[in-house]
Amino acid sequence: MSTPIVRIHRSPSEIDPAAWDGLLASQPAPSPFMRHAYLAALDASGCASPANGWTPQFITLWRGKLLVAACPLYVKDHSYGEYVFDWAWANAYQEHGLAYYPKAVAAVPFTPVPGARLLARDAESRVLLVQAAVAWCKEEALSSLHLLFGADEDIAACAEAGLMLRHTVQFHWINAPPALGTDVSSLPPEGARSALGRPGGGTTAPTLGTDVSSLPPEGARSALGRPGGGTGPWKDFDAFLSSLSHDKRKKIRQERRKVHDAGVSFRWSRGTDISGADWDFFYRCYARTYREHGNPPYLNRDFFHRMASGMPEAWLLFVAEREGKPIATSLIALSAGLGGADDSPAPLVAYGRYWGALERVDCLHFEACYYQPLAWCIAHGVERFEGGAQGEHKMARALMPVRTTSAHWLAHPAFADAVERFLEREGAGIENYLDHLGERSPFRHDDE
């Protein structure tokens, strides 16, 4: 088969939306954040733009007029908005008089949601896409390439291309009772080590062993302490609570009671039912929360205007009210509009994304960001709720730890060696951390 033609695009608007989204829909792990409308909105609104340190250089592979592979690629002069932290690597470069920036990232800006990054028609095209990205980085004299929060297929292709792998932990909720006892873990066997690819184009490409895991494919039910899923989704929120240990049930009920006793109620809207006034109020809350932490918001109002008009079916908004006045919001993304890899309807997945409040109410964050969304997910047959980056406190709400994976290529051989040794140590620490989390399952034991 002939080698495909590689093209570099300075904006997602240069790529046909139907061709991009058609390729995305064929992936085992699509997400709404990889839809053309989402990436184009980041670009057109100026949120992910050269002025903000995100220079689009999207890569596509073509066989004639057929798009066979594509990925979002950005050249960056900082590491903000990535959620896979490499500040120590950048500092080490600087201490040795070397430039770490600019670098390249294959990622969705400001969005730590695992899923497909390398859109491809087959495994061969996916590997060719990785190789094309590395070759382009070499031509541009970039220090490194980083694929963030990739799907299993992406990670396998990166490992075959010689990239190093790095693991982090997120917390996801599955709409099903545990199938096995809470002492059963889906972690690799004791002593299993993650495969680390070698940068620099070694003669023997490492393979991704069965002990290396990233996010399970869309629809898979695999999380620590919950292998295989249970007998079916919970019938209601009370049934979900009954699966938790006594202390966790008690804590959740106490937290919900505090919000209720404070006179706070909730309403939700989805898609085109979210009014312009609600979008405005949401953004006011969202921006205030960022500024309270001393940072400007990553996303501007224009971006959310484009979301409301361009892909409204992907959004669910909760509004907290007291005495008829809105005081807080949480915005949830949905996988609606994405087909499955075999043309069957994809399972509905929800993603916790943004929240903000104008008034302080004890436990309001937990109600707005976890309990209201989880109750909605149960009522609407959502299979999985992903809680975003980090946050051990999520385990008390039955969001269980899962391993997520990124892949890295560094041009400098000595630094590549140093990073590989670091990742070996860090990987062992992640395994120990997961073991520790596995001992803290919130689900009740048989004797409770």
Side-chain angles (χ1 to χ4, degrees):
M1 186 179 296
S2 61
T3 302
I5 300 298
V6 178
R7 295 175 183 165
I8 306 297
H9 307 267
R10 298 185 182 277
S11 168
S13 63
E14 297 179 2
I15 306 170
D16 176 53
W20 180 282
D21 286 343
L23 205 55
L24 172 63
S26 69
Q27 305 307 300
S31 83
F33 312 103
M34 280 288 290
R35 287 174 59 177
H36 189 277
Y38 189 90
L39 297 168
L42 287 172
D43 181 66
S45 66
C47 295
S49 66
N52 290 330
W54 294 80
T55 301
Q57 299 286 343
F58 284 30
I59 298 182
T60 58
L61 270 57
W62 300 81
R63 296 191 188 278
K65 296 183 178 180
L66 179 65
L67 178 65
V68 297
C71 76
L73 192 72
Y74 297 87
V75 174
K76 297 198 62 194
D77 55 16
H78 57 69
S79 293
Y80 293 105
E82 297 175 15
Y83 301 93
V84 176
F85 304 108
D86 61 353
W87 297 105
W89 302 1
N91 290 338
Y93 268 65
Q94 184 177 22
E95 290 172 359
H96 288 79
L98 300 173
Y100 188 68
Y101 304 109
K103 65 174 186 177
V105 295
V108 180
F110 325 119
T111 310
V113 175
R117 297 291 180 267
L118 305 173
L119 311 183
R121 294 187 176 274
D122 50 53
E124 179 188 7
S125 298
R126 191 172 286 108
V127 173
L128 290 174
L129 183 60
V130 179
Q131 293 172 341
V134 170
W136 184 82
C137 289
K138 290 179 179 179
E139 291 173 1
E140 297 297 316
L142 302 181
S143 74
S144 51
L145 169 67
H146 311 266
L147 182 141
L148 308 181
F149 299 105
D152 285 343
E153 296 75 20
D154 301 337
I155 299 307
C158 288
E160 184 173 342
L163 277 66
M164 298 179 287
L165 306 184
R166 186 180 192 184
H167 304 299
T168 54
V169 177
Q170 289 190 356
F171 297 84
H172 300 173
W173 175 88
I174 305 296
N175 188 5
L180 301 174
T182 56
D183 59 336
V184 179
S185 171
S186 60
L187 283 177
E190 178 117 12
R193 294 183 61 185
S194 302
L196 289 174
R198 286 292 296 112
T203 56
T204 303
T207 59
L208 188 67
T210 57
D211 61 327
V212 178
S213 170
S214 64
L215 180 70
E218 218 43 49
R221 293 176 175 174
S222 175
L224 187 61
R226 312 181 52 143
T231 56
W234 283 289
K235 65 178 182 179
D236 53 35
F237 194 83
D238 284 338
F240 160 61
L241 282 184
S242 70
S243 71
L244 303 179
S245 63
H246 172 75
D247 63 320
K248 296 298 186 294
R249 291 197 304 272
K250 181 179 179 180
K251 182 177 179 64
I252 290 174
R253 286 176 175 142
Q254 287 175 339
E255 291 173 344
R256 302 200 77 185
R257 189 177 301 115
K258 288 179 180 179
V259 177
H260 178 269
D261 291 348
V264 178
S265 61
F266 279 81
R267 60 179 173 86
W268 62 266
S269 302
R270 180 180 178 184
T272 55
D273 290 335
I274 303 174
S275 69
D278 280 344
W279 276 111
D280 288 339
F281 179 71
F282 154 75
Y283 191 77
R284 181 183 171 195
C285 294
Y286 161 78
R288 175 170 174 167
T289 298
Y290 265 84
R291 294 191 175 104
E292 284 179 347
H293 290 86
N295 300 305
Y298 283 133
L299 303 172
N300 57 32
R301 182 63 182 91
D302 182 50
F303 169 79
F304 289 107
H305 174 77
R306 294 172 185 275
M307 289 294 94
S309 60
M311 44 187 289
E313 69 283 357
W315 300 104
L316 169 68
L317 182 70
F318 292 90
V319 178
E321 297 179 328
R322 181 157 60 180
E323 298 179 350
K325 175 185 175 183
I327 63 170
T329 62
S330 65
L331 185 65
I332 309 299
L334 301 171
S335 63
L338 293 170
D342 57 357
D343 294 327
S344 62
L348 189 59
V349 180
Y351 308 87
R353 296 305 304 128
Y354 315 106
W355 114 285
L358 302 186
E359 297 183 13
R360 297 189 182 278
V361 175
D362 194 16
C363 299
L364 180 58
H365 172 263
F366 299 137
E367 183 70 25
C369 296
Y370 301 114
Y371 306 141
Q372 288 290 325
L374 291 184
W376 192 93
C377 287
I378 293 170
H380 293 82
V382 174
E383 182 174 279
R384 187 171 73 249
F385 175 80
E386 299 189 9
Q390 306 167 323
E392 285 185 26
H393 66 278
K394 296 170 185 173
M395 279 192 69
R397 286 90 198 167
L399 278 74
M400 301 301 291
V402 297
R403 184 188 290 103
T404 61
T405 307
S406 59
H408 308 269
W409 169 85
L410 277 69
H412 195 289
F415 270 96
D417 288 339
V419 166
E420 183 172 45
R421 292 193 298 271
F422 164 79
L423 291 178
E424 288 176 345
R425 296 190 301 271
E426 184 185 59
I430 291 292
E431 295 301 325
N432 291 334
Y433 177 55
L434 286 168
D435 285 339
H436 171 68
L437 293 177
E439 298 171 356
R440 297 164 48 192
S441 171
F443 293 97
R444 69 183 185 186
H445 296 276
D446 292 338
D447 56 355
E448 289 190 70

